[in-house]
Amino acid sequence: MSKTALVTGASKGIGLETVRRLATSDLNITTIVLMARASQDYDDNFAELQKDIPEGVTLVRETVDVGDRDVLIEAIHRVYAQVGRIHYLINNAGYTNPVAIHQVEFDDFERTMAVNVYAPFTLVQELLHLGNKFKVIVNIASTAGINGRAGWLTYSASKAAVINMSEVMRDELKIYGTRVVCLSPGRTATALRRVLAPEEDPTTIMQPQHVAKVIETMLGSTGQYIDQQNVIVRQ
Ligand SMILES: NC(=O)c1ccc[n+]([C@@H]2O[C@H](COP(=O)([O-])OP(=O)(O)OC[C@H]3O[C@@H](n4cnc5c(N)ncnc54)[C@H](OP(=O)(O)O)[C@@H]3O)[C@@H](O)[C@H]2O)c1
C-alpha cells in the first residue's frame, strides 16, 4: 500500500534532504507534503527537487508559518482533506535566535517555543483529532536539548521540551501502533547552524544528507529495533 509523509521545515537543510531521501526510499512513499514559509530558497529548492523526484511520487507544497497556530491548523485541515492519511510525520522545522540571558526578548522565547514545541504538538494533536493513524512520528530535537550552552537558553529549553514531549507521545500513542522517534542531531552544516556558530567551517561538520539517511532508517523496518528514545546523530 502506498504511503504519505509530511515533512515540516522542508525548504532547506535536513528537511529538504529528508524529502529527497524519502522520495527514493523503499518505504513505498508516493506522496510527500512539504511545509515551510514562503521564500526564494523554498521556490528554488522545490523546483530543483521536482527534477530529482522519481515518477509516481507526488510532492504537495504547503506554504505555512508553523509558528502561527491558527494558520497551521488551517493548513493541517487543508492537507488532510487533500491527501488523507499521513503515515509518516517528520517534525523538523526549527528556529533559533541565540542571545545571552540579558538580551532574551520574551516574544522571541515564545516564538521559539511556538515553532519548536507547539507546532509539532499541534500537528500530532490536530491529525489525531481528524482520525489520522500515524505509523511513525519523528521529532527532531537537538543535542542542545541534552546539554545547555551559554547563549542558547531559548533554543536549548525548547529542544529539551521536544525530547520529553516525545517520550509522552511514545507512551500514549503505542496503543495505536504508532512509533514515536526522537532524534537529536549534533552540529550539521545548515543555515540554522550558521546562526548558532557563524565562525565554523561547514565543510568540517556533519552534512544534512547524513541526518536524512538516519531519519529514513528510523522510519523503516530496521528502525523499530533501534532505541527510539533519543537517537543521537553526530560526528
Ligand atoms: N543544523 C544543526 O546543527 C542542528 C542540530 C541539531 C538540531 N537541528 C534541528 O534540525 C531541524 C532542521 O534544521 P536545519 O539545521 O536543517 O536548519 P535550516 O536549514 O535552517 O532549516 C530549518 C527549516 O525550518 C523551517 N522553519 C523555520 N521556522 C519556520 C516556521 N516558522 N514555519 C515553517 N517552517 C519554518 C525553515 O523554513 P523557512 O525558514 O524557509 O520557513 C527550514 O525549512 C531543526 O529543528 C533544528 O533545530 C539542527
Side-chain angles (χ1 to χ4, degrees), residues 111-222:
R111 173 99 189 128
T112 310
M113 295 303 280
V115 175
N116 297 357
V117 184
Y118 305 150
F121 161 74
T122 300
L123 274 146
V124 170
Q125 190 193 44
E126 210 57 38
L127 283 165
L128 286 172
H129 284 163
L130 287 167
N132 192 65
K133 289 194 170 40
F134 298 100
K135 211 170 149 52
V136 188
I137 298 169
V138 178
N139 292 328
I140 304 298
S142 169
T143 50
I146 306 166
N147 302 112
R149 176 157 346 153
W152 294 12
L153 186 144
T154 57
Y155 184 66
S156 287
S158 73
K159 293 299 188 176
V162 172
I163 294 170
N164 200 282
M165 179 171 75
S166 302
E167 276 188 38
V168 179
M169 286 180 179
R170 182 172 318 111
D171 211 23
E172 276 193 38
L173 301 185
K174 65 180 169 219
I175 54 163
Y176 303 106
T178 301
R179 266 198 296 130
V180 178
V181 178
C182 182
L183 197 144
S184 283
R187 49 198 194 136
T188 312
T190 66
L192 183 136
R193 179 66 195 177
R194 274 198 296 283
V195 173
L196 288 168
E199 307 301 325
E200 188 175 65
D201 175 355
T203 63
T204 62
I205 61 173
M206 190 161 65
Q207 300 301 308
Q209 291 84 344
H210 298 136
V211 183
K213 177 112 180 62
V214 178
I215 293 171
E216 180 194 6
T217 301
M218 292 311 295
L219 294 182
S221 53
T222 307

Side-chain angles (χ1 to χ4, degrees), residues 9-28:
S11 60
K12 55 190 173 189
I14 294 167
L16 177 69
E17 294 310 321
T18 300
V19 174
R20 209 187 295 282
R21 277 224 77 92
L22 298 189
T24 53
S25 73
D26 58 6
L27 296 165
N28 204 15

